[in-house]
Amino acid sequence: MNVVHNTPVSVVTIERFIIEQERLYPEASGELSGVLYDLALAAKMIANKVRMAGLVDILGGNETENVQGEAQQKLDVIANDIMIKAMDHGGRLCAMASEEEPDIIPIPDGFRCGKYCLMFDPLDGSSNIDVNVPVGTIFSVVRKVTRGSAGEMEDFLQPGRRQVAAGYVIYGSSTMLVYTTGQGVHGFTLDPSIGEFLLSHPNIRTPERGKFLSVNDSYEQHWEEPVRALMRRYRGMDGVQKAMNVRYVGSLVADFHRNLLGGGIFVYPANAKSPRGKLRLLYEANPLAFIAEQAGGAASDGYQRILDINPSELHQRTPLYMGSKADVETVHEFLTPAGVTA
Ligand code: AHM
Ligand code: MG
């Protein structure tokens, strides 16, 4: 009689995967692995809070206090606090920067400073929470370049090509953590019954050309003509290519994740009202561009590679065209440094 085994042959937790990756680098000190473990822990804590969204008011009883008498906070503030508290004491970071904070976040007195800087958007797309649409956390890690022990502005203002790790967590129908350390892109799905991220999407490759176009075209009236012409191309209106399928959640991590797996392009151009676009270079564009490239895709601001931009400020914004390589190359047929049709 054949015995059917329901247990998987091999279960790879994120911890095991990180350890195995680290062994590929005999010179590695383990500090970056430590940063990644702590991020996975923060992701589980945030996932837990996001799952309770909508219940907080009910459980809290009134608008300002929860049952413990603590002030209730918006989820993006909670996620920001979780990230800082999960990451500030490990001895691996020299400072952090968050989309939610105006300045660099120092490591508190009494804790050791390490050699990495962490940048993050704790809960991207948080305006979608009230309507139960996926949100995400995005992170980027660079190595410290200044001499002292505390992180300084110069450490954060490095081009994205210097990232040593980047990733995102998507709080969707399941919670997934996707990251790269420059050795491909790997995705882990949270098994809530055991509280572990398990390897579910090893070595993600994005299709060379995709079927999805993600853009908020309510801004069309504010776009320059070359951007409008580009959109007509993607929509098959100039007869050159097949029309792409428009899919726009309005939650960057969700739009990016779908296009990473299915192929396509995410577009957030500059427009007359926001001449530098909306999305932040250090917290959103750089980490996702690193992932896109590692998966075989590309990312551009319309004129140059996102990862080659030299940042001049912490909260700098950038136009963003990111996804399948052939679809990003099409951007450069329409946009030139002068901003006119080529
Ligand atoms: P946030 O960081 O304030 O949440 O804003 C970023 C979000 C992205 O998730 C999304 O891609 C974009 O804003 C949507 O903007 P818009 O509503 O202008 O299309
Ligand atoms: Mg954001």
Side-chain angles (χ1 to χ4, degrees), residues 17-290:
F17 189 85
I18 291 169
I19 291 170
E20 283 170 8
Q21 292 278 98
E22 191 187 305
R23 286 206 192 106
L24 301 175
Y25 302 91
E27 72 285 1
S29 64
E31 277 187 62
L32 185 59
S33 297
V35 172
L36 294 170
Y37 294 148
D38 291 346
L39 283 166
L41 174 66
K44 286 190 260 186
M45 293 167 73
I46 296 171
N48 191 41
K49 298 287 183 194
V50 169
R51 233 185 27 235
M52 297 296 282
L55 290 174
V56 173
D57 287 348
I58 299 166
L59 299 180
N62 69 46
E63 286 196 355
T64 51
E65 289 190 348
N66 65 16
V67 281
Q68 280 90 34
E70 298 160 339
Q72 283 181 17
Q73 293 175 306
K74 285 186 67 188
L75 261 179
D76 39 12
V77 177
I78 294 174
N80 191 52
D81 285 351
I82 289 175
M83 286 292 281
I84 294 171
K85 291 195 179 107
M87 305 303 303
D88 68 4
H89 60 279
R92 293 138 186 153
L93 299 178
C94 60
M96 290 179 269
S98 163
E99 197 191 281
E100 296 287 333
E101 306 264 349
D103 303 313
I104 293 174
I105 306 159
I107 299 302
D109 290 343
F111 293 117
R112 197 179 87 84
C113 280
K115 64 181 177 204
Y116 293 108
C117 302
L118 175 70
M119 290 160 267
F120 58 86
D121 181 352
L123 209 58
D124 184 71
S126 52
S127 61
N128 284 316
I129 286 175
D130 292 347
V131 290
N132 220 345
V133 163
V135 289
T137 299
I138 311 173
F139 60 87
S140 160
V141 183
V142 293
R143 207 170 271 123
K144 186 178 193 321
V145 288
T146 57
R147 281 165 171 264
S149 67
E152 297 171 34
M153 189 59 83
E154 194 185 331
D155 296 310
F156 290 93
L157 301 184
Q158 301 188 53
R161 63 173 181 274
R162 300 230 187 103
Q163 289 170 104
V164 292
Y168 62 87
V169 185
I170 177 167
Y171 310 102
S173 43
S174 57
T175 298
M176 271 190 79
L177 190 155
V178 176
Y179 83 91
T180 184
T181 54
Q183 300 293 319
V185 178
H186 310 286
F188 301 79
T189 302
L190 182 64
D191 180 340
S193 63
I194 55 170
E196 287 279 4
F197 279 107
L198 303 179
L199 181 63
S200 53
H201 295 65
N203 206 19
I204 297 171
R205 303 296 297 168
T206 200
E208 174 70 20
R209 187 179 284 284
K211 56 184 176 211
F212 298 121
L213 166 63
S214 303
V215 63
N216 183 346
D217 54 13
S218 60
Y219 299 116
E220 184 171 358
Q221 55 183 316
H222 305 296
W223 291 338
E224 293 194 329
E225 180 49 30
V227 175
R228 290 197 197 118
L230 172 65
M231 294 306 141
R232 288 197 291 274
R233 167 69 58 84
Y234 288 143
R235 291 164 180 273
M237 290 165 72
D238 63 2
V240 175
Q241 70 171 66
K242 220 174 124 214
M244 297 173 88
N245 263 334
V246 178
R247 293 281 186 277
Y248 192 70
V249 174
S251 205
L252 178 60
V253 168
D255 283 313
F256 178 79
H257 184 71
R258 180 197 49 246
N259 295 0
L260 182 73
L261 299 181
I265 186 162
F266 175 91
V267 174
Y268 205 114
N271 67 55
K273 287 182 131 182
S274 323
R276 297 184 82 170
K278 175 182 184 186
L279 299 168
R280 265 64 43 140
L281 177 61
L282 298 184
Y283 312 109
E284 296 167 326
N286 270 345
L288 298 184
F290 189 20

